[in-house]
Structures are given as C-alpha cells and as structure tokens.
Amino acid sequence: MDDPRWLEPFSTQVEPDGSLTPERLIGEQWLSAIGGIFETTPDDADDQVVYRVYSMPVPETGSELQTCTTVLEPGRVGREYFMTKGHFHAQRDRSEVYLGLSGEGLLLLATEAGEHRVVEMRQGTVAYVPGGWAHRSANTGDGPLIFFAAYVGDAGHDYGTVAIQGFPIRAVEGPEGPRIVPNPSYRGPST
Amino acid sequence: MDDPRWLEPFSTQVEPDGSLTPERLIGEQWLSAIGGIFETTPDDADDQVVYRVYSMPVPETGSELQTCTTVLEPGRVGREYFMTKGHFHAQRDRSEVYLGLSGEGLLLLATEAGEHRVVEMRQGTVAYVPGGWAHRSANTGDGPLIFFAAYVGDAGHDYGTVAIQGFPIRAVEGPEGPRIVPNPSYRGPST
C-alpha cells in the first residue's frame, strides 16, 4: 500500500461454533495440562480440550487491539465448572472488553489485593475488565460458552500470578444452580 | 474498592435491536443534520434518524477501550445507501475493531492519501480498522445494520477531515445489488 505507516485492514468471520474463517492462530487447553487450576484433581481418563482460543494477532503495540474468540466447553471437575486459566495483563493498567456470543457462564474478576467480582455472561453481554483485574471465565451452561474479546495491543499476559495465588473465589454447581464460594486454597492477601 | 488505581468492572446487555440495558450514552444522527455527506441532497420531508450510537464511555486514556454499538437504519438518498459520517481517529495510529451483530452492509475505509478498501459486514464479521484508515459504514440491507465496535481509549475522533475531503468511493444501489463507485466530489489526493 502507499503509506507504510498503516497496517492493511483485514476481516474474518466468526462461525456459530466460535471458530474463524479463514482460520488464524488457534490455542488449545487440555484438561491434563491445566488440571491444577481446579479444586479437585481431574482423572487422566477424562482428558479433553477445555477451551480453544482463536486469535487475530496484530503487532503488540499500544495503538493496536488484540482480538480473539474463546470457546469454553461445558463440563465440571467435581462440582467446579470448566474454566479458563485466568490471567492479569502483564501491563497491569491495560483493559479488556468481552462480548458474549452464545452459552451461559460467569466471568470471575479479582485484583491482586484479593477483591473479587462476578459478571453473568450470555449472548449480548458486554463485560468491561478494567486494568488491575485478573479475569477467568467459567461455563455454567450445557453447551459451549463462546465470547469475543478485545484488549489493548501491548497488554501482554501474566498467567503466573494467578497460577501461584489462585483466585479468591470458585464457581461451583450447587443444588439450585451455579454458586460462588470462597477458594480455601487461595494464597493471595485476605480482604 | 480497595485499590484506587483500578476502575470498577461493569457490564451491559446488547439487546437484539442494538440498544443497551441499562441505557448509557446515546447519540442520534438525523438525515437533516448529516445530509451533506450524500451525493444528492435529501428532501427535508424525508427527515429521520439515520443511525444511533450507544456508547459505553470510559476514561480517554491509552490503557482503556471505548466501546459502542451502532444501529444504522436501512434506506437510501437517491441511489446511495444510508451511511455513517465516517471519521479518522484524532490520534491517527489508533486502531479499532468491529464485530457485526445483524444486518448487511459495507465498511468503507480510506487513507488520507486516497487509498480505499471495502469490507462486507454481516453477523459475525470481525473487521480490523488499523490506524490511518478513516472508516464509514453503509447499510445495504433491508433491516438495520447493527455492529459492536471497540477502539483504543485515547483515539479521539476527527470528523473534519472526512467532512472536507469526502470519501474516495461511494456505496450505491445498482441493478444487480450494491456497487462501489468513485466519488466525483472527492477532494483528497488522487491515487
């Protein structure tokens, strides 16, 4: 193109199953690899893909937006709903926004100080994840939870802090539907 | 909240008609106010809302994301489809991403140098608008064109350049459907 300063526009189609046409960068998270995030240890015999992330990567600068769809399968480990690993942004002040495409779930948010919030996600829900809030999604429905996300291009990912501290809350199946309970193994500061 | 550095998370629901629950900031563009963007002058008797923007404003910093839905009504002025005013970002290098929610349309893109691109928009289309590209949407369908947009928080809007230069192309109804034609009144550099 004429002006080398500007990227070429692009488009891609989000299919009903959350995948992209044409395909771009796909990440898969298997239960055997992320089992440690759950309250109870999954059985190796139950191994499966818990979620896939279909990313549309662009240069990692603050003038760009990284975007992706996430397809989180339905299921539980014990009483705990399938969920994503969860992360802070490496650049803590960078924000993210979710748009629910299908399914039902909960977006769990937590600060390093141990504050927490829960947002119900369904088709059409816009959830704003401000800087400073780790974010993890749990699928509380019977089908896949699919959502679109956009975040500031240079946000980066810090999975380590959540891997070490855990999340202050867990989303579990109760007798009358999803419940939020304290996480007894949380290693962050108490609130 | 405990840590004054971080915004409070929030959520809102995008309804099937593109409006938000709860309501947030709404902007309306009437044909009588924006008629100058069309090739032919609209009749005052035909005045109506051409599009509404339902914004979810956050602080205008580079760590945040501004988000909105746009509901662009179906219609034409002469042979030209209803469209948005179109703008560059005041900070030229800031990017934006669209996600089509319903309806059919065309996303028109142009650089200040006069380059142009066209992206077909429908439900599930993700369109990436890199920095440097003015963007305008045209509704080529029979119902509203509804899309979600996110852009870097400090991008700002420059409507003036498009108002002065116009766009190098126009989206018009042809005998066999939508057509892209050169804009004879374009005042930007020729390509």
Side-chain angles (χ1 to χ4, degrees), chain B residues 152-177:
Chain B
V152 181
D154 64 353
H157 295 86
D158 166 13
Y159 288 98
T161 302
V162 171
I164 293 168
Q165 290 192 346
F167 245 67
I169 48 175
R170 290 187 180 278
V172 302
E173 188 184 50
E176 290 165 16

Side-chain angles (χ1 to χ4, degrees), chain A residues 126-191:
Chain A
V126 175
Y128 196 80
V129 180
W133 292 88
H135 35 293
R136 156 178 284 176
S137 299
N139 184 345
T140 60
D142 298 325
L145 173 66
I146 307 177
F147 56 89
F148 173 82
Y151 53 99
V152 181
D154 64 353
H157 295 86
D158 166 13
Y159 288 99
T161 302
V162 170
I164 294 168
Q165 290 191 348
F167 246 67
I169 48 175
R170 289 186 180 276
V172 302
E173 187 185 50
E176 291 164 14
R179 288 176 59 208
I180 296 296
V181 296
N183 175 11
S185 57
Y186 177 57
R187 296 191 197 87
S190 59
T191 48

Side-chain angles (χ1 to χ4, degrees), chain B residues 18-101:
Chain B
S19 66
L20 303 180
T21 303
E23 280 190 0
R24 302 180 69 91
L25 183 65
I26 305 175
E28 283 186 347
Q29 298 293 342
W30 286 75
L31 189 53
S32 54
I34 65 169
I37 67 177
F38 295 96
E39 188 177 31
T40 55
T41 305
D43 192 319
D44 283 349
D46 296 332
D47 200 19
Q48 68 163 93
V49 171
V50 177
Y51 63 100
R52 291 186 174 84
V53 179
Y54 300 86
S55 300
M56 295 156 262
V58 291
E60 294 183 356
T61 74
S63 59
E64 306 299 341
L65 297 171
Q66 309 293 340
T67 52
C68 60
T69 57
T70 300
V71 179
L72 176 56
E73 297 296 332
R76 295 194 314 279
V77 176
R79 61 172 189 162
E80 192 171 17
Y81 294 107
F82 275 8
M83 60 183 176
T84 61
K85 289 194 289 182
H87 61 270
F88 288 93
H89 290 154
Q91 292 219 55
R92 279 291 186 279
D93 66 345
R94 299 311 201 227
S95 295
E96 179 157 352
V97 66
Y98 280 16
L99 175 60
L101 299 180

Side-chain angles (χ1 to χ4, degrees), chain A residues 38-178:
Chain A
F38 295 97
E39 188 176 31
T40 55
T41 305
D43 191 321
D44 282 349
D46 297 332
D47 200 20
Q48 69 162 94
V49 171
V50 177
Y51 62 101
R52 291 185 174 85
V53 179
Y54 300 86
S55 299
M56 295 157 263
V58 290
E60 294 184 354
T61 75
S63 61
E64 306 300 339
L65 298 171
Q66 308 294 340
T67 52
C68 61
T69 57
T70 300
V71 179
L72 176 55
E73 298 296 331
R76 295 194 313 279
V77 176
R79 60 173 190 163
E80 191 170 17
Y81 294 107
F82 274 9
M83 59 184 176
T84 61
K85 288 194 290 181
H87 61 270
F88 288 93
H89 290 153
Q91 292 220 53
R92 279 291 187 278
D93 66 343
R94 299 311 202 228
S95 294
E96 179 156 352
V97 66
Y98 280 16
L99 174 59
L101 299 181
S102 62
E104 295 169 13
L106 297 171
L107 169 60
L108 311 183
L109 300 141
T111 67
E112 281 183 276
E115 278 200 281
H116 49 85
R117 300 285 186 278
V118 179
V119 174
E120 289 186 27
M121 293 293 299
R122 59 186 174 93
Q123 183 179 18
T125 304
V126 175
Y128 196 80
V129 180
W133 292 88
H135 35 293
R136 156 178 284 176
S137 299
N139 184 345
T140 60
D142 298 325
L145 173 66
I146 307 177
F147 56 89
F148 173 82
Y151 53 99
V152 181
D154 64 353
H157 295 86
D158 166 13
Y159 288 99
T161 302
V162 170
I164 294 168
Q165 290 191 348
F167 246 67
I169 48 175
R170 289 186 180 276
V172 302
E173 187 185 50
E176 291 164 14

